Amino acid sequence: MVSTLSTLSKEITHKFYLNGEWKESQSGQTLDIESPYLHEVIGKVQAITKEEVDQAVNFAHEAQKGWAETSLQERAKYLYKWADELVNMQNEIAEIIMKEVGKSLKDARNEVVRTADFIRYTVEEALHMNGESMKGDSFPGGSKSKVAIVERVPLGVILAIPPFNYPVNLAAAKLAPALISGNAVIFKPATQGAISGIKMIEALHKAGLPKGLINIVTGRGSVIGDYLVEHKGINMISFTGGTNTGAHLAKKVGMIPLVLELGGKDPGIVCEDADLHEAAKHIISGAFSYSGQRCTAIKRVLVHEKVANELVEILKGEVNKLSVGSPEEGCTVVPLIDNKSADFIQVLIADALGKGATVVTGNKREDNLIYPTLLDDVNDTMRVAWEEPFGPVLPIIRVSSDREAIDITNESEFGLQASIFTKDINKAFSIANKIEVGSVQINGRTERGPDHFPFIGVKGSGMGAQGIRKSIESMTREKVTVLNLI
Ligand code: NAP
């Protein structure tokens, strides 16, 4: 595919950000960032050294001490300015997101604007979070002369590691709560997504954030990841990415707080009484937006056998209407992040077909572009029933009862979200109460947000919670000061 836009120069070697300055790494090495649809290098980022990681952590600690002393209103000013700068830079950043991770320009621009909104809301939430006081005599034998003042204090230096798919939004979802609550941050962007992350920090630099509070460490996770997560100077880690990477991290990290938001296998449960056209609309947008490269994409349909044929026909019609091709043309289904991801999906499809699944539509590939694929007659012997494809393939599993749909949902190693489609609200709640996931969507697609809702993965989908208030809480701790009245 050929680009019609040209802001990015192939020559650009992006620097990393250390103590408020843009620097080249002492390693002398860079990583090529290749566009998933242009199939050409769109820029280079620094492969930084362990010594530079140490420097970043030291600068962050130095800066954090003073930052924690500043008033909330003072911190708020920088973050509001950051949001404004992001809005000013939205076209430039959106183009980079598009080229770097292959997302349509409209979605990329929405990501930037949503991030600015996220930052503003984070500030407002923090401004309205107050501690509490407790009276000693509310406990049996406790003294009336004791009063506890409970307030939240920052944890120190937060390591923020986001994935490639929302390189600005999911990064800022860690950075903004960390900063407003008085922490400093070591930001390790996904390598494919690092240029977008760097641009986002340029906006923060323009906002005049004091030096040292944010330091970007670019480099492959497989090379510097372990060093970062085991670093003694890190006080908390907020990670979003694949389940295998998260599990690896959890083994390495010692006694420091860790929030993990990982993969999913979100089901769309379609009950016998569902409005099938409405359900299909949500399932299609849930499963195929950005080629299904969303943690909360609908990744399997569990449909009652009595309405399965009808649903499959509707889904087929809708899938065939999806636009497929370049993100520059605003297509919904775009080339995947790399060839390895496309290969993996092909393996899942081949495994299912070998075990008796049928192709309703799709199963076509051009390089890393996988056409939207609907598989019917999927059963529990097939890998695609259980594994996360992170691509545009949707398996349909026919069930004979709501109970069976609940059981299949709960057998999954994942527990991110689930959608239930039914006209019966009692049934919806009854199913929702029995399924083991972080969030249940009734008559809507699985999705993150609005961003102030708690966002939770259970089982293999994560640990702890995000969502604006939850993120602030995860990056602070309670501190109790007891006043003993005389
Ligand atoms: P990934 O391969 O796990 O990478 C995620 C991040 O971890 C990247 O920044 C990566 O850096 C870094 N990393 C890799 N190895 C590391 C190590 N040993 N130590 C520390 N960091 C390391 O995931 P991805 O392919 O970017 O994203 C897709 C996955 O994320 C999917 O499974 C999706 O479901 C999940 N996801 C979850 C959520 C959620 O909120 N639950 C949201 C979005 C995505 P490099 O890029 O340099 O390797």
Side-chain angles (χ1 to χ4, degrees), residues 17 83 226 228 248 289 404 419 431 434:
Y17 192 59
D226 286 359
L228 274 168
H248 172 81
S289 303
E404 192 183 352
S419 288
I431 298 173
K434 294 185 185 81

Side-chain angles (χ1 to χ4, degrees), residues 4-5 37 89-99 101-115 117 165-169 285 289-290 323 326-332 334 445:
T4 52
L5 299 160
Y37 69 97
M89 290 172 72
Q90 64 179 283
N91 290 335
E92 185 189 349
I93 299 179
E95 190 186 332
I96 288 165
I97 295 175
M98 179 181 72
K99 291 198 165 155
V101 302
K103 183 180 293 183
S104 79
L105 198 56
K106 180 167 159 269
D107 288 351
R109 199 176 286 120
N110 285 344
E111 181 175 338
V112 181
V113 173
R114 174 184 173 184
T115 301
D117 290 338
N165 59 343
Y166 290 86
V168 167
N169 186 262
S285 115
S289 303
Y290 186 37
S323 52
S326 170
E328 297 198 10
E329 283 151 23
C331 292
T332 303
V334 290
R445 71 174 202 171

Side-chain angles (χ1 to χ4, degrees), residues 140-152:
S143 162
K144 202 174 177 175
S145 65
K146 279 187 185 290
V147 179
I149 299 160
V150 186
E151 56 186 335
R152 300 203 78 89

Side-chain angles (χ1 to χ4, degrees), residues 311-443:
L311 181 75
V312 169
E313 269 316 297
I314 301 170
L315 289 175
K316 181 181 175 185
E318 293 300 318
V319 170
N320 288 337
K321 284 188 218 157
L322 290 170
S323 52
V324 181
S326 170
E328 297 198 10
E329 283 151 23
C331 292
T332 303
V333 177
V334 290
L336 295 175
I337 196 70
D338 53 27
N339 256 312
K340 201 169 133 222
S341 306
D343 291 346
F344 175 64
I345 289 165
Q346 280 230 290
V347 168
L348 292 185
I349 295 174
D351 171 77
L353 297 184
K355 291 173 182 161
T358 49
V359 175
V360 180
T361 184
N363 193 20
K364 188 176 146 195
R365 173 177 177 180
E366 288 160 14
D367 296 324
N368 55 332
L369 175 65
I370 301 260
Y371 279 68
T373 301
L374 204 54
L375 296 177
D376 199 357
D377 304 309
V378 170
N379 64 43
D380 63 5
T381 66
M382 302 171 190
R383 290 176 58 184
V384 77
W386 307 108
E387 295 181 36
E388 180 188 44
F390 226 57
V393 55
L394 183 62
I396 296 172
I397 303 173
R398 294 165 181 241
V399 295
S400 56
S401 64
D402 295 339
R403 183 71 249 176
E404 192 183 352
I406 294 165
D407 290 343
I408 294 174
T409 300
N410 290 346
E411 267 172 53
S412 172
E413 67 171 295
F414 299 106
L416 194 54
Q417 294 203 351
S419 288
I420 301 169
F421 298 98
T422 172
K423 290 186 193 128
D424 180 344
I425 191 67
N426 292 318
K427 183 192 280 196
F429 268 87
S430 164
I431 298 173
N433 288 340
K434 294 185 185 81
I435 53 185
E436 296 156 7
V437 294
S439 313
V440 179
Q441 304 272 353
I442 296 173
N443 291 325

Side-chain angles (χ1 to χ4, degrees), residues 297-310:
I298 290 193
K299 291 174 183 145
R300 51 191 181 154
V301 173
L302 307 176
V303 56
H304 197 285
E305 59 195 7
K306 286 199 184 141
V307 294
N309 285 345
E310 199 185 334

Side-chain angles (χ1 to χ4, degrees), residues 162 164 188 190-191 221 225 239-242 245 262-263 295 388 390 448 455:
F164 78 84
K188 188 254 170 281
T191 298
F239 174 85
T240 304
T245 320
L262 309 176
C295 56
E388 180 188 44
F390 226 57
R448 194 188 170 92
F455 185 70

